[in-house]
Amino acid sequence: MFGNLFEEDDEAFMPESAGHDDRKLKGKDCEPPPPRGATNLCGIKNQGGTCYLNSLLQTLLFTPEFREALFNLGPEELGCVENKDKPEANVRVIPLELQKLFAHLLLLDQLAASTTDLTDSFGWSSNEEMSQQDVQELNRILFSALESSLVGTSGSDLIQRLYHGTVVNQIVCKECGNVSEKQEDFLDLTVSVNGVSGLEEALWNMYVEEELFEGNNLYCCGLCNNLVRAAKSAKLRKLPPFLTMSLLRFSFDLTKCERYKEMGRYTFPVRINLRPFCEKAERADSEYEYELFSVIIHKGGCYGGHYHVYVKDIDHLGNWEAPEEEAKPKLLNKDVKPPDSTLEREDPLSVLKDILSREESNCVLVDQLGQKLLDKIGVSWNKKFRKQYGPIGKFLQSHTDTFLLASNGTRVHLKLAGSAAPEPSQSADGEKMVDLSSPSDEHHWFDLNDSIVRPIREKDIEKQFQGKESAYMLFYRKLELQRPAEAKENPRYKVPVHLLQEIEEENGKLTQTRLEFDASSNTVEVRLHLASHYRVENGALQLCSSPQESVLQLPFDRRKTVGDFRLAVYQMQDQWEGDMALTVAKSLPAGLHLYDMLLDDSQSLYSAGVSDRSDLFVWNGREVGGVSIQTGEDWEPVLLTLLKPMEVVEDAAPGSGLCESPRGVSAGTTLGALRLALGREEALLCQEERAQGSPVSGWRVFPQDDMQKTIRELALRDGDSILILEPQALDTSQFTMNGDVVTVTTPSECRWLLVSYSPGGVAGGQEEGKTVQIPATGNMLLSEVKLKAMEELQLQDQLSEYSLRQVDRNGKLLPPARENMSIRQAGVKLTSTLFLCHGSAPGATQLFLFYTVGADPPSGPEMEIIVEETITVKECLKLMLKMSGLEGECWHLRKVDWCYEAGDAITEEEATLAKLKISSGDTLVVTEGRLPPKGFLRLPVWLYPGQGVCTGQPESEINHIAEGVAELCVGILAVDAELQFVGDVEISGEASLEDLKTQVMTLPNLQDLSVPSAEYLRFWVLEGKRPTKILRGNQLHINKLKLGSGTEICVQHLLKEENLGPKELVLRVKMGVPQERLYYPEVELVWDTAKECTARALRQTIASHYCLPLDKIEVAKYFPDKYEWMAVSSWVREVTTWSKIPPCVASQA
């Protein structure tokens, strides 16, 4: 689990070179690491699952005595890392790499340091870097490895001196007083969490309470030589300078036979006096006083989660500032009144504190507490508070910061605020108790969460007392340890000179690299399209010269302004006269189209949206070649295929029934205008409705009402076909009309198939083979086609060795057609070509499958196999392995997804192929490795670049939707925004949404994303690379969210915490500036529809946010799929029937 950290022999000094260069991420190798943040502290990169290691390393770094003792070991004792491969050199790699890492964390100017070299010195593989382990176990193993590595050096006693303590177990005979004791060494104290309220109670049970041997359980005394009554106890004998407490958060439920995590409230003090738990000795109190300086926190459940650490910066190495939420000034309310005594009576905590404070010893029996409460307020606990707070005993246990239960829970004590460190005291009945209170200390606490470092207050530690995110390891430091004055605010203190020199050189290189990268990363290459080389044709700009002459490449700094860029273009085009307009352009199938014009010369290119390889059109802003240009999305050209009967066009291809010609049409053009432009005012325009493989195709005639609709409104897209038919063409046998459907029959001269045969296969080339033409009809069986073709090719004696196959547009052979099917049933088009290939065709109950071996399907050869559809997945896998010459049990099958990559694993190995709906032509991937655990899901995760998921419509795209709604604009999801793939996560379906967010935050590609907690992430479900639904309910199981394996999710980084309820909708609202074509910045509103889900409630929510009267605003929703706006006054259905996508709303004052 931890590589060769278990090894303690000489080989641990010199582990084999792990060759880690191949495992490093290469996506951002060219980008220098960012500098340190405002805290001036360095985080640690997560290698995929090393958050537990990062938390422990940060704790050791902020243990000054450990850090400086490690730095005191020089190269003469540890050797040099460069000599680790020399057999004669005794190089102690682990302490050397730890020194180097600490120096980087202290002095190197980067946001996060890498632990790759350190984990390589451990002998870890990439699997161990990607899997999470237990930090308590790592702490013991790492210290053991360090002790072994430092044998024979001056630091051989480093761990023993700083961390080792002694506990003594005693058994005292009640008859003769004989004491039998056993001394044990400890590295950390493992304390119970189950059944106790906090650390002080757990220590009391371990080192104060005695276990009695009496009754049937007597002790055999060695001195009395008899079974006697005795008492067993344990005490701390020797206390180390640094005391580590490991909390037993994980337990096993014997009833359910499953692990679980203790999430109840468990308190621990910032300062603690351990005298009550130690052997009696004449020592000063200062030797027993400890102060908390590190808390390792685990967030998640028993099957996974995330670690981070709260650390106190003892030497003030970082810049501590108040957290952002506390840095804002709070307004004082002068109208605040003192609390009413009536209100205090409604608070059970105040009532119980008042009762105990009036007692002389501040304690009372729990049984008497209920009667005293009845006497004070006149109502019993059960009638007043039980329904809301539960039994009184449970209430006391949940407030251990105020009350202390003793005598097995029969007596309750009040903890006095501001009391001193714990001292043994006497209660009314002579019972010993400890009161541990923590004095306030607010300075220099930080939360180190992998790469993220943020300041916190000491009181934030209380948030880790309970819940899924709670304390897991506590590190205490003796209060008497003093730091020298020169160590304060001095990260160079005690760092060896050779490391200081290395860091200075690396910082210099980093500074130079950042300057060079800043210049190169801001240089974009813009492609300039010159208007003089274009002409307007069919609604689009077409080249009238070679691309080399018409398109110029101009590198430019995107931080400069549009005016600077315009001046640079002027200098390139010294012959240009008049105004120069720069317009964003995009190359479409129909030609070049123009969108937004760059008008603001003071705006930077970056703010204007100009990126690398952007297209800009250089023109006068009015016309090209004397023709005016329509710009914007509403006028995008669409490339249509126009079909005409072959008699209409003289150069029609022989053998075809129709002649086709491409034509670009502006999306804003009406269908009637297109017909008029074609010069055929009486012609019928038809849209194809054809069944695949049929010789008869159906065309629906556009009704007269559609002549007034635009190409966009008719939802026509690039590649769609339109049949232009003159009325007299209906008199021929080729065209028949029934209602509004025109039927086109394939001419008799087109009823044939080509069958091609090449001995060398399809790739052998047609010149090496033969092609024959076979007369065919749609009802003809493929077996007849094959027989006739082989007779023509004189191959009839090899009939069973060949099959007919089609080829797709990429030249790939499709599965063999089943020969008992007709041409129409097999989906084969007449006049197409079939290839005669070696190999038999699948039978009626057989499947023809493609398969590859390896995790990357495109990189490996594709093989073919015919199997019965009734065999199981396991049997199919064995056949594929046998054909591939592979052996072993560590293989499984995966399906290929839509982008031809290895998709989900097929987990049901005993299911048949037919049951799993695997059909002929499917591609499977034989992947090395065992199947993932049952019930686990594999979810691809995507991220919006720059966290920008919204974009505003251009000002030119103003829609007029109703009288009184003059100008509206809305922020909609950027469908065209390029999503960034960040990785896959495998997680149990029983995990919660919060667990999923926590696991996603550990992905290596998200380490640079500053996310304080999972509540700052919003998860969307992707459909067609478009966010469609927000996942809500952090505590809901993933299975209840109906996420299947392979469901793509998108991560959106929020600026504030969010926990949406089931009835809350996220609205994106953009309000227009009155009387101007400008808009205020877009805002997000959360509308709670649980109260009222009417159109009026929506308008009221928006009006309240903008502080406007309800009758002064108009609201509309934009439907991107229909390109329509709908005013709020026309919304007659309830909000619950809206689309899954949060409504895009615009308002106008």
Side-chain angles (χ1 to χ4, degrees):
M1 180 172 62
F2 291 101
N4 62 7
L5 271 180
F6 288 106
E7 302 295 336
E8 297 185 5
D9 52 12
D10 293 339
E11 293 180 359
F13 297 153
M14 297 177 294
E16 295 180 2
S17 178
H20 61 272
D21 292 338
D22 294 337
R23 298 199 311 272
K24 292 183 179 179
L25 292 174
K26 299 179 181 179
K28 295 186 178 180
D29 283 352
C30 58
E31 182 178 354
R36 299 190 178 210
T39 61
N40 198 35
L41 293 180
C42 183
I44 301 179
K45 296 177 183 177
N46 192 323
Q47 296 186 48
T50 57
C51 53
Y52 66 104
L53 172 66
N54 297 347
S55 301
L56 182 60
L57 291 175
Q58 292 284 19
T59 298
L60 297 178
L61 174 72
F62 284 92
T63 308
E65 289 75 10
F66 176 86
R67 181 182 71 226
E68 292 163 8
L70 191 64
F71 281 149
N72 285 336
L73 302 173
E76 62 280 356
E77 293 186 277
L78 302 181
C80 297
V81 178
E82 294 77 12
N83 300 328
K84 65 180 180 180
D85 296 324
K86 296 180 180 180
E88 68 278 3
N90 187 14
V91 181
R92 307 169 193 270
V93 183
I94 293 179
L96 282 173
E97 293 294 352
L98 202 55
Q99 278 187 344
K100 181 180 176 182
L101 176 63
F102 281 1
H104 283 195
L105 291 171
L106 290 171
L107 299 169
L108 193 61
D109 185 20
Q110 61 182 12
L111 185 66
S114 173
T115 57
T116 306
D117 292 336
L118 180 63
T119 54
D120 284 344
S121 71
F122 294 166
W124 285 7
S125 64
S126 58
N127 291 333
E128 287 163 318
E129 292 167 356
M130 294 297 293
S131 59
Q132 192 179 96
Q133 307 296 343
D134 185 72
V135 69
Q136 296 176 359
E137 187 176 358
L138 174 68
N139 181 57
R140 303 184 187 106
I141 296 174
L142 178 60
F143 280 176
S144 176
L146 272 175
E147 284 186 301
S148 300
S149 298
L150 296 177
V151 171
T153 69
S154 59
S156 58
D157 64 339
L158 172 61
I159 305 300
Q160 181 73 30
R161 177 166 43 88
L162 295 182
Y163 293 96
H164 280 264
T166 305
V167 62
V168 59
N169 296 295
Q170 296 179 340
I171 299 179
V172 180
C173 177
K174 294 292 186 180
E175 301 296 334
C176 65
N178 179 47
V179 178
S180 174
E181 68 176 33
K182 179 182 179 182
Q183 181 173 297
E184 295 178 356
D185 188 50
F186 69 85
L187 182 65
D188 62 315
L189 296 179
T190 303
V191 295
S192 176
V193 174
N194 186 18
V196 294
S197 61
L199 177 63
E200 55 266 54
E201 184 179 348
L203 292 175
W204 186 280
N205 294 339
M206 292 170 62
Y207 301 113
V208 178
E209 297 285 351
E210 293 182 342
E211 179 184 357
L212 296 179
F213 296 99
E214 55 187 1
N216 294 329
N217 184 27
L218 296 177
Y219 170 70
C220 182
C221 178
L223 189 60
C224 300
N225 197 21
N226 197 8
L227 295 175
V228 296
R229 295 170 59 252
K232 180 181 178 181
S233 63
K235 291 288 184 181
L236 297 173
R237 173 167 289 177
K238 175 194 172 187
L239 294 175
F242 297 94
L243 188 60
T244 304
M245 305 282 190
S246 297
L247 308 185
L248 290 176
R249 284 280 184 189
F250 299 112
S251 301
F252 188 82
D253 190 332
L254 295 176
T255 305
K256 298 181 179 179
C257 290
E258 63 180 13
R259 296 182 67 203
Y260 69 95
K261 181 179 178 180
E262 296 283 355
M263 301 183 187
R265 185 176 178 84
Y266 189 88
T267 63
F268 47 88
V270 175
R271 289 190 180 183
I272 185 171
N273 190 309
L274 298 179
R275 181 186 286 275
F277 316 119
C278 297
E279 283 188 317
K280 292 183 179 180
E282 296 298 329
R283 298 177 186 171
D285 280 348
S286 59
E287 294 190 26
Y288 299 99
E289 291 181 352
Y290 282 79
E291 182 180 37
L292 185 70
F293 77 97
S294 177
V295 182
I296 293 182
I297 299 158
H298 180 265
K299 182 175 184 178
C302 57
Y303 297 108
H306 178 64
Y307 290 94
H308 62 110
V309 62
Y310 286 176
V311 167
K312 182 177 181 180
D313 182 13
I314 298 172
D315 284 346
H316 295 196
L317 303 178
N319 298 328
W320 190 93
E321 296 180 358
E324 294 181 3
E325 61 272 12
E326 298 183 12
K328 300 177 181 178
K330 298 181 180 180
L331 299 177
L332 297 177
N333 189 351
K334 298 181 180 179
D335 297 331
V336 175
K337 298 179 180 180
D340 189 3
S341 59
T342 304
L343 296 177
E344 290 183 356
R345 290 177 177 270
E346 299 297 325
D347 180 18
L349 185 63
S350 301
V351 175
L352 295 179
K353 286 173 62 177
D354 184 62
I355 292 173
L356 291 173
S357 64
R358 296 177 184 273
E359 298 292 326
E360 183 176 354
S361 58
N362 292 330
C363 69
V364 70
L365 292 173
V366 175
D367 294 340
Q368 298 177 0
L369 187 60
Q371 182 62 42
K372 291 182 179 292
L373 182 139
L374 176 63
D375 297 339
K376 181 173 180 62
I377 63 176
V379 184
S380 68
W381 174 274
N382 290 342
K383 289 185 178 180
K384 183 75 173 175
F385 301 115
R386 184 183 177 91
K387 184 176 181 180
Q388 183 175 359
Y389 299 99
I392 190 170
K394 182 179 179 181
F395 180 82
L396 295 173
Q397 291 175 1
S398 64
H399 291 80
T400 53
D401 53 340
T402 305
F403 308 109
L404 176 63
L405 291 171
S407 300
N408 295 324
T410 60
R411 182 177 294 275
V412 59
H413 300 264
L414 176 66
K415 290 185 178 182
L416 300 179
S419 60
E423 289 286 345
S425 60
Q426 297 291 328
S427 62
D429 57 352
E431 162 201 15
K432 287 188 177 182
M433 58 168 289
V434 179
D435 182 14
L436 303 179
S437 57
S438 304
S440 177
D441 186 4
E442 293 289 333
H443 63 286
H444 281 268
W445 277 90
F446 293 92
D447 177 14
L448 294 102
N449 191 347
D450 289 337
S451 301
I452 304 169
V453 182
R454 64 183 184 94
I456 60 170
R457 293 205 180 267
E458 190 177 275
K459 62 183 180 181
D460 293 332
I461 299 175
E462 298 178 5
K463 299 177 182 177
Q464 311 305 329
F465 284 171
Q466 62 189 357
K468 296 193 75 171
E469 183 177 11
S470 49
Y472 192 55
M473 287 188 75
L474 309 175
F475 296 83
Y476 284 89
R477 180 176 185 270
K478 271 193 177 182
L479 202 59
E480 66 180 1
L481 296 176
Q482 299 295 322
R483 298 293 297 145
E486 56 269 21
K488 295 292 183 180
E489 301 180 1
N490 182 12
R492 302 169 64 91
Y493 183 70
K494 295 288 187 178
V495 179
V497 177
H498 69 280
L499 288 178
L500 288 175
Q501 294 174 350
E502 289 180 14
I503 297 297
E504 288 179 2
E505 292 177 4
E506 290 188 44
N507 279 333
K509 293 178 181 178
L510 277 175
T511 302
Q512 182 63 28
T513 305
R514 287 184 184 125
L515 291 175
E516 295 173 355
F517 178 79
D518 189 48
S520 62
S521 61
N522 285 290
T523 300
V524 294
E525 193 173 75
V526 182
R527 293 183 293 194
L528 299 176
H529 299 260
L530 306 179
S532 57
H533 296 272
Y534 281 85
R535 69 178 186 276
V536 181
E537 182 178 329
N538 297 330
L541 293 166
Q542 308 292 341
L543 276 171
C544 55
S545 60
S546 65
Q548 291 77 13
E549 297 177 358
S550 59
V551 181
L552 303 178
Q553 307 285 347
L554 177 59
F556 204 76
D557 192 335
R558 63 177 180 173
R559 294 170 295 184
K560 293 186 178 181
T561 64
V562 174
D564 296 333
F565 184 78
R566 195 188 307 274
L567 181 60
V569 177
Y570 266 121
Q571 293 173 352
M572 289 180 61
Q573 300 294 312
D574 51 0
Q575 303 297 325
W576 188 278
E577 295 181 359
D579 296 334
M580 175 185 289
L582 301 174
T583 305
V584 177
K586 185 178 180 181
S587 181
L588 301 174
L592 194 70
H593 184 63
L594 307 184
Y595 292 87
D596 301 330
M597 190 178 297
L598 305 183
L599 300 174
D600 188 359
D601 280 1
S602 61
Q603 189 180 28
S604 68
L605 289 183
Y606 178 79
S607 301
V610 177
S611 58
D612 193 33
R613 303 193 66 79
S614 291
D615 293 289
L616 293 180
F617 193 69
V618 184
W619 60 315
N620 58 16
R622 297 180 299 276
E623 46 80 23
V624 175
V627 181
S628 59
I629 303 295
Q630 300 284 1
T631 63
E633 289 185 5
D634 287 342
W635 297 95
E636 280 185 352
V638 178
L639 186 62
L640 300 177
T641 301
L642 303 183
L643 300 176
K644 304 173 185 178
M646 67 179 197
E647 293 84 4
V648 179
V649 179
E650 297 179 357
D651 58 348
S656 65
L658 299 172
C659 179
E660 62 181 45
S661 61
R663 183 185 180 98
V665 182
S666 174
T669 303
T670 63
L671 197 60
L674 172 62
R675 184 170 64 175
L676 186 62
L678 295 173
R680 303 182 182 277
E681 300 182 17
E682 302 298 327
L684 299 177
L685 301 184
C686 313
Q687 189 173 13
E688 185 176 20
E689 295 178 346
R690 179 169 180 163
Q692 187 177 14
S694 173
V696 178
S697 59
W699 295 78
R700 185 184 64 84
V701 179
F702 287 106
Q704 190 61 34
D705 293 343
D706 285 355
M707 295 298 120
Q708 306 304 319
K709 294 183 179 180
T710 64
I711 300 297
R712 181 182 292 274
E713 291 171 340
L714 292 172
L716 293 175
R717 300 177 180 175
D718 292 319
D720 287 353
S721 299
I722 292 181
L723 174 62
I724 305 170
L725 202 60
E726 297 291 347
Q728 58 269 25
L730 298 175
D731 299 333
T732 65
S733 60
Q734 186 178 357
F735 304 98
T736 57
M737 185 170 180
N738 183 12
D740 64 343
V741 176
V742 174
T743 302
V744 182
T745 306
T746 305
S748 58
E749 61 268 20
C750 300
R751 297 179 184 177
W752 47 262
L753 288 173
L754 292 178
V755 178
S756 179
Y757 169 72
S758 177
V762 177
Q766 189 167 344
E767 67 278 4
E768 299 181 8
K770 299 179 181 179
T771 301
V772 295
Q773 181 172 312
I774 307 298
T777 63
N779 296 324
M780 187 175 182
L781 294 178
L782 286 172
S783 58
E784 299 178 36
V785 176
K786 173 184 169 182
L787 180 60
K788 291 183 178 181
M790 296 191 72
E791 289 176 352
E792 292 278 347
L793 296 169
Q794 299 180 357
L795 296 172
Q796 58 268 29
D797 56 336
Q798 305 176 34
L799 187 63
S800 61
E801 300 178 10
Y802 288 89
S803 59
L804 293 175
R805 303 177 68 172
Q806 297 185 79
V807 176
D808 64 11
R809 64 182 61 184
N810 297 320
K812 176 185 175 181
L813 278 172
L814 298 179
R818 289 178 176 170
E819 297 176 0
N820 60 345
M821 300 176 66
S822 66
I823 293 175
R824 182 180 296 109
Q825 291 172 336
V828 178
K829 294 183 179 181
L830 294 177
T831 72
S832 62
T833 302
L834 296 177
F835 289 85
L836 195 61
C837 303
H838 283 279
S840 58
T845 61
Q846 290 181 319
L847 300 176
F848 183 93
L849 302 175
F850 299 100
Y851 72 96
T852 63
V853 179
D856 187 15
S859 64
E862 192 171 63
M863 293 168 277
E864 303 168 350
I865 187 173
I866 296 178
V867 296
E868 293 290 336
E869 61 182 9
T870 55
I871 68 171
T872 64
V873 173
K874 182 180 289 186
E875 292 170 341
C876 180
L877 176 61
K878 288 182 179 178
L879 291 175
M880 292 178 176
L881 291 175
K882 184 177 179 180
M883 289 187 63
S884 305
L886 300 174
E887 297 179 355
E889 298 293 331
C890 295
W891 298 90
H892 65 275
L893 288 178
R894 290 180 179 266
K895 291 184 178 180
V896 170
D897 58 17
W898 62 272
C899 55
Y900 204 69
E901 293 180 352
D904 299 332
I906 304 177
T907 57
E908 301 180 42
E909 291 188 299
E910 301 302 328
T912 63
L913 301 181
K915 182 180 178 181
L916 296 177
K917 298 181 180 180
I918 295 176
S919 56
S920 284
D922 286 352
T923 302
L924 301 180
V925 183
V926 180
T927 308
E928 189 172 8
R930 296 190 180 274
L931 279 172
K934 217 169 190 180
F936 274 64
L937 307 177
R938 178 175 176 266
L939 305 176
V941 184
W942 299 78
L943 177 72
Y944 269 112
Q947 304 305 314
V949 298
C950 299
T951 180
Q953 281 188 321
E955 291 183 5
S956 61
E957 298 184 33
I958 307 291
N959 290 268
H960 303 270
I961 59 172
E963 186 175 356
V965 185
E967 298 170 344
L968 297 174
C969 182
V970 62
I972 64 174
L973 288 175
V975 181
D976 295 332
E978 182 181 354
L979 294 169
Q980 179 185 354
F981 180 72
V982 295
D984 294 318
V985 295
E986 285 192 358
I987 190 168
S988 170
E990 297 299 322
S992 65
L993 177 59
E994 185 178 9
D995 295 334
L996 174 60
K997 291 183 177 181
T998 301
Q999 189 162 335
V1000 168
M1001 289 167 60
T1002 65
L1003 289 174
N1005 289 339
L1006 291 181
Q1007 292 307 302
D1008 295 336
L1009 198 64
S1010 180
V1011 183
S1013 65
E1015 285 74 20
Y1016 286 83
L1017 293 180
R1018 178 188 294 165
F1019 275 27
W1020 297 79
V1021 174
L1022 289 180
E1023 292 182 7
K1025 291 296 180 290
R1026 176 176 179 176
T1028 56
K1029 181 180 71 173
I1030 297 176
L1031 297 179
R1032 57 191 76 211
N1034 286 337
Q1035 303 307 319
L1036 287 180
H1037 289 180
I1038 295 178
N1039 288 338
K1040 291 186 178 180
L1041 294 172
K1042 298 181 179 179
L1043 297 182
S1045 188
T1047 301
E1048 295 181 306
I1049 56 177
C1050 177
V1051 182
Q1052 179 185 357
H1053 184 202
L1054 304 176
L1055 298 179
K1056 60 181 180 180
E1057 292 181 302
E1058 177 182 86
N1059 189 10
L1060 294 176
K1063 295 294 185 180
E1064 291 179 320
L1065 290 180
V1066 178
L1067 307 177
R1068 291 190 170 90
V1069 184
K1070 202 166 187 180
M1071 189 177 74
V1073 179
Q1075 310 303 323
E1076 296 185 32
R1077 297 188 65 176
L1078 298 174
Y1079 301 91
Y1080 295 111
E1082 178 186 284
V1083 296
E1084 275 192 356
L1085 297 182
V1086 177
W1087 176 29
D1088 188 0
T1089 62
K1091 302 176 181 177
E1092 185 180 357
C1093 55
T1094 62
R1096 177 178 176 82
L1098 172 62
R1099 295 182 62 192
Q1100 183 65 52
T1101 301
I1102 298 175
S1104 300
H1105 175 79
Y1106 286 105
C1107 301
L1108 295 172
L1110 188 61
D1111 57 348
K1112 296 294 185 182
I1113 67 168
E1114 292 290 344
V1115 180
K1117 177 183 175 182
Y1118 182 62
F1119 295 86
D1121 295 334
K1122 299 180 180 179
Y1123 305 101
E1124 292 179 356
W1125 289 82
M1126 185 178 291
V1128 66
S1129 58
S1130 63
W1131 292 357
V1132 294
R1133 53 189 177 141
E1134 290 189 358
V1135 176
T1136 53
T1137 63
W1138 289 3
S1139 172
K1140 293 183 291 184
I1141 305 176
C1144 305
V1145 182
S1147 60
Q1148 176 77 23

